[in-house]
């Protein structure tokens, strides 16, 4: 059974090695001319004002979590599309139910005002 996972282990090791190697090359050969101006924070070309750790509205986090939730759940449509013919009508019914549950959740968040910016 270990032999089945050997190619996966080799690919993971190779990816980690390449990642570290590229970062190492960047630190060795990259330009290093720090100045005071380069060290300042950058906010869309505007001069930053106020503290860097301002309080952010909870609505921002709510919208972000809702986006991640619906985005991740929509990823489940791809495997369904791949095996659509093998599943038949039962698979179609399951996916319609899944889409309806997603839609109910989306409408609920919309009606509660979670997607409104003030």
């Amino acid at each position: 059974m270990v032999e089945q996972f050997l190619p996966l282990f080799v690919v993971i090791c190779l990816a980690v090695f390449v990642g570290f190697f590229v970062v190492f090359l960047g630190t060795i050969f990259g330009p290093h001319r720090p100045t005071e101006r380069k060290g300042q924070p950058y906010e869309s070309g505007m001069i930053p004002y106020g503290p860097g750790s301002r309080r952010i509205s909870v609505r921002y986090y709510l919208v972000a979590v809702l986006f991640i939730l619906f985005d991740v759940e929509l990823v489940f449509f791809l495997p369904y599309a791949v095996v659509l013919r093998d599943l038949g009508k039962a698979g179609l019914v399951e996916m319609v139910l899944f889409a309806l549950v997603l839609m109910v959740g989306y409408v609920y968040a919309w009606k509660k005002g979670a997607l409104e910016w003030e």
Side-chain angles (χ1 to χ4, degrees), residues 54-70:
R54 285 179 271 173
R55 295 186 73 165
I56 298 176
S57 173
V58 175
R59 289 198 175 271
Y60 172 77
Y61 294 109
L62 181 63
V63 170
V65 167
L66 285 173
F67 171 75
I68 290 171
L69 177 73
F70 287 113

Side-chain angles (χ1 to χ4, degrees), residues 21 24 26 40 42 47 52 59 63 66-67 69 71-72 77 81-82 88 93 105 108-110 112 118:
F21 185 69
F24 173 74
Q40 291 179 347
Y42 180 77
I47 297 173
R59 289 198 175 271
V63 170
L66 285 173
F67 171 75
L69 177 73
D71 191 44
V72 168
F77 281 110
V82 171
V93 170
Y108 176 78
W110 186 11
K112 282 292 191 177
E118 293 178 8

Side-chain angles (χ1 to χ4, degrees), residues 104-118:
V104 167
Y106 181 72
V107 169
Y108 176 78
W110 186 11
K111 293 294 182 183
K112 282 292 191 177
L115 304 176
E116 299 288 328
W117 286 102
E118 293 178 8

